[in-house]
Amino acid sequence: MFRNQYDTDVTTWSPAGRLFQVEYAMEAVKQGSAAIGLRSKTHVVLACVNKATSELSSHQKKIFKVDDHIGVAIAGLTADGRVLSRYMRNECINYNFTYESPLPVGRLVVQLADKAQVCTQRSWKRPYGVGVLVAGLDESGAHLYYNCPSGNYFEYQAFAIGSRWQAAMTYLEPRFENFMDSSREDLIKDALISVRETLQEEKLQISVCTVAVVGVGEPFHILDQETVRKLIDTFEIVREDGSPAPEPGDAAPDLGEAAPAAAAEEGAAPMDI
Amino acid sequence: MTKQQANWSPYDNNGGSCVAIAGADYCVIAADTRMSTGYNILTREYSKITKLADKCMMASSGFQADVKALQKLLAARHLIYQHQHNKQMSCPAMAQLLSNTLYYKRFFPYYSFNVLGGLDSEGKGCVYTYDAVGSYERVGYSSQGSGSTLIMPFLDNQLKSPSPLLLPAQDAVTPLSESEAVDLVKTVFASATERDIYTGDKLEIVVVNAEGIRSEYMDLRKD
């Protein structure tokens, strides 16, 4: 995309019928570090790459619990994501207060999408610069939605957003049809492998990625580092046994060093608000 | 021409009694399970006790519709707190929140007489007692509700510590053991049931300690 005379305001159409500010906002999502979601009939898994700006700082929080049955992963302007998570949490609490039942995921994503749309039609606002993967469980089953800065949303079997999302999609595309019947462990494994695909040169370490799960009888929660480390170990061993490698040069992992880094971020300040 | 009086009241009193006793490392919260209106019984099995946080229980007597609304509000506020702070609310924090929530409706109050019971941040038992508009105080023990006038003097007799102005400073919490406190609560309710018509049916006792929360029930006279 290049600068042109129709991209100054979100309220200006281009002659081709495009709103460039909205498209630029979607570019911001691609600049953020990767976030991936997969779902089966009973579980939804979110995984994301946690990039820290420097070795001295803590990692960005990209996965937020919205309610016991809903969680989100974001990519893009994480500040916008934080604000939207707060909105979603509020909506869930208010719905629960009025109806004494959990807010259906489909209702929440529509509200979120409508909120995003408002920002595409006001001259004094700008679109939210964050893509939101919404993972949730309700009476109609397990769901994964992607909410876009444009105000659009779609339901997905599996999806990846953020930088190098194509690498993760290349892994997911041939496999997604089987996800519906996947077990919880296989789903998490596939999520971790997809995350690994987006990290081209780096090793998959627990300090770099965060995984969260929601499922039938399992409220939304972020998996602790020990669990993730064991899972990474398991499938790394499986891969060394010669299962088809989508990319060459996978070094044998030495994840012992990752533990001290994990301990440092465990007590990270609750910078949520 | 006499002043016109209201022929409808937004309030009703559903009766019942609540008690809470703080120990060195536990807290006992108890309430009867009778819900009445006027001289009629609505149900014999209504719980007046609710869990507000991991180590914080509230027992409320008065107008149960207001009590329910208050419980829902506090639960929602607790969820927000957990999202923001990444941890459960402590009992003293919840105590202040309840006070503020009650005073917020100073000019159309929650007809709810509350006792809060739980463990403070050090694991010691704590009890907070309230009036309908949020005036509160941390105490070693308290009772509220229709039987409180019968119960409170008895608790004073059994549990009252010497004046806090004396030296050396004495603990407000009772030196009784957990089982002794539970037995005291059972005795107290059996007595209150005899003379207070609104107290009876069944007694629900909740004990909060380091291991968690456990419930116990005891039958009371049904007349």
Side-chain angles (χ1 to χ4, degrees):
Chain A
M1 272 183 236
F2 301 104
R3 277 232 76 195
N4 52 65
Q5 52 185 163
Y6 308 109
D7 68 357
T8 313
D9 298 316
V10 74
T11 46
T12 305
W13 287 100
S14 84
R18 295 160 72 167
L19 287 170
F20 281 105
Q21 279 297 310
V22 176
E23 294 183 25
Y24 295 167
M26 303 207 278
E27 275 304 304
V29 177
K30 292 180 204 154
Q31 301 300 328
S33 47
I36 288 146
L38 298 75
R39 68 122 181 208
S40 73
K41 221 177 313 194
T42 54
H43 289 81
V44 193
V45 176
L46 293 172
C48 68
V49 171
N50 287 88
K51 278 290 160 66
T53 42
S54 83
E55 276 174 25
L56 298 157
S57 83
S58 58
H59 298 270
Q60 276 280 20
K61 186 168 170 184
K62 284 161 55 82
I63 296 188
F64 299 91
K65 175 168 173 168
V66 165
D67 204 345
D68 280 340
H69 66 298
I70 301 180
V72 301
I74 59 171
L77 264 54
T78 42
D80 283 2
R82 214 174 53 234
V83 160
L84 287 177
S85 307
R86 195 162 64 221
Y87 166 76
M88 294 169 84
R89 286 170 176 169
N90 222 45
E91 291 301 300
C92 285
I93 289 173
N94 288 337
Y95 186 93
N96 207 317
F97 187 93
T98 309
Y99 299 102
E100 296 257 342
S101 69
L103 176 56
V105 196
R107 300 278 292 259
L108 181 61
V109 293
V110 173
Q111 285 171 257
L112 189 61
D114 287 348
K115 194 171 164 68
Q117 191 279 339
V118 167
C119 298
T120 68
Q121 213 177 6
R122 304 279 183 272
S123 60
W124 62 91
K125 286 182 183 259
R126 62 157 178 85
Y128 287 104
V130 65
V132 186
L133 281 171
V134 183
L137 211 69
D138 58 28
E139 281 179 353
S140 52
H143 300 280
L144 174 70
Y145 290 92
Y146 172 55
N147 276 72
C148 201
S150 62
N152 266 338
Y153 69 96
F154 295 101
E155 185 164 2
Y156 287 93
Q157 196 64 38
F159 201 54
I161 56 175
S163 68
R164 293 198 280 271
W165 59 275
Q166 304 92 324
M169 289 298 268
T170 314
Y171 175 79
L172 295 167
E173 266 157 22
R175 293 173 180 77
F176 78 89
E177 271 155 347
N178 302 323
F179 286 163
M180 243 353 201
D181 298 314
S182 276
S183 72
R184 178 184 178 276
E185 283 62 40
D186 283 342
L187 212 62
I188 298 176
K189 194 184 78 181
D190 280 322
L192 284 166
I193 296 176
S194 315
V195 168
R196 205 253 311 276
E197 299 301 306
T198 67
L199 303 162
Q200 268 155 7
E201 303 87 35
E202 302 163 54
K203 278 182 278 183
L204 178 61
Q205 295 181 308
I206 47 170
S207 55
V208 182
C209 79
T210 310
V211 183
V213 186
V214 64
V216 176
E218 188 179 353
F220 183 90
H221 66 286
I222 296 176
L223 299 183
D224 65 280
Q225 299 287 54
E226 256 311 296
T227 317
V228 180
R229 192 172 69 75
K230 287 201 192 95
L231 286 157
I232 294 177
D233 284 347
T234 331
F235 79 74
E236 286 288 332
I237 293 165
V238 168
R239 284 196 37 93
E240 280 173 32
D241 286 346
S243 43
E247 66 173 19
D250 253 329
D254 192 6
L255 296 165
E257 287 77 49
E265 73 171 334
E266 216 59 89
M271 296 172 293
D272 205 34
I273 301 295
Chain B
M1 182 79 177
T2 47
K3 183 177 175 188
Q4 203 188 21
Q5 300 276 6
N7 53 10
W8 175 85
S9 167
Y11 297 113
D12 188 13
N13 191 346
N14 300 119
S17 313
C18 308
V19 162
I21 301 177
D25 60 350
Y26 67 88
C27 188
V28 180
I29 304 104
D32 70 322
T33 61
R34 172 177 286 176
M35 186 167 160
S36 46
T37 174
Y39 286 124
N40 301 312
I41 293 180
L42 289 170
T43 179
R44 298 190 189 276
E45 288 168 31
Y46 190 82
S47 174
K48 300 190 197 25
I49 305 179
T50 185
K51 176 172 150 178
L52 293 178
D54 248 3
K55 305 279 174 171
C56 186
M57 311 289 293
M58 179 172 79
S60 317
S61 136
F63 181 37
Q64 290 300 323
D66 274 357
V67 167
K68 181 64 123 205
L70 184 62
Q71 290 171 351
K72 285 177 69 153
L73 226 176
L74 292 172
R77 290 298 303 269
H78 187 222
L79 242 189
I80 295 172
Y81 182 97
Q82 284 179 82
H83 283 145
Q84 291 176 348
H85 297 78
N86 227 28
K87 63 170 187 155
Q88 295 268 325
M89 266 179 101
S90 67
C91 205
M94 188 57 88
Q96 184 68 57
L97 177 63
L98 174 55
S99 171
N100 293 146
T101 307
L102 291 169
Y103 196 81
Y104 204 70
K105 275 170 62 71
R106 170 67 177 80
F107 299 111
F108 184 13
Y110 290 105
Y111 195 101
S112 169
F113 299 96
N114 312 297
V115 274
L116 208 70
L119 302 177
D120 64 14
S121 334
E122 292 157 22
K124 271 174 59 176
C126 64
V127 170
Y128 296 89
T129 189
Y130 295 78
D131 71 2
V133 285
S135 164
Y136 83 112
E137 187 190 1
R138 181 171 176 176
V139 288
Y141 60 91
S142 181
S143 73
Q144 293 282 353
S146 59
S148 66
T149 46
L150 300 166
I151 294 171
M152 205 57 182
F154 187 70
L155 292 180
D156 284 336
N157 178 269
Q158 297 293 309
L159 299 173
K160 190 165 187 175
S161 42
S163 170
L165 301 168
L166 289 175
L167 291 171
Q170 297 266 22
D171 240 350
V173 297
T174 179
L176 288 179
S177 75
E178 191 182 297
S179 51
E180 284 172 331
V182 169
D183 283 342
L184 175 61
V185 160
K186 290 178 179 174
T187 312
V188 143
F189 266 90
S191 305
T193 304
E194 291 291 311
R195 293 290 178 174
D196 176 25
I197 59 173
Y198 301 108
T199 301
D201 290 331
K202 206 157 63 168
L203 171 63
E204 182 185 5
I205 306 172
V206 174
V207 182
V208 186
N209 56 26
E211 284 140 41
I213 301 178
R214 79 157 206 284
S215 297
E216 210 181 304
Y217 294 88
M218 186 186 90
D219 267 0
L220 296 170
R221 279 185 67 161
K222 293 178 176 2
D223 61 359

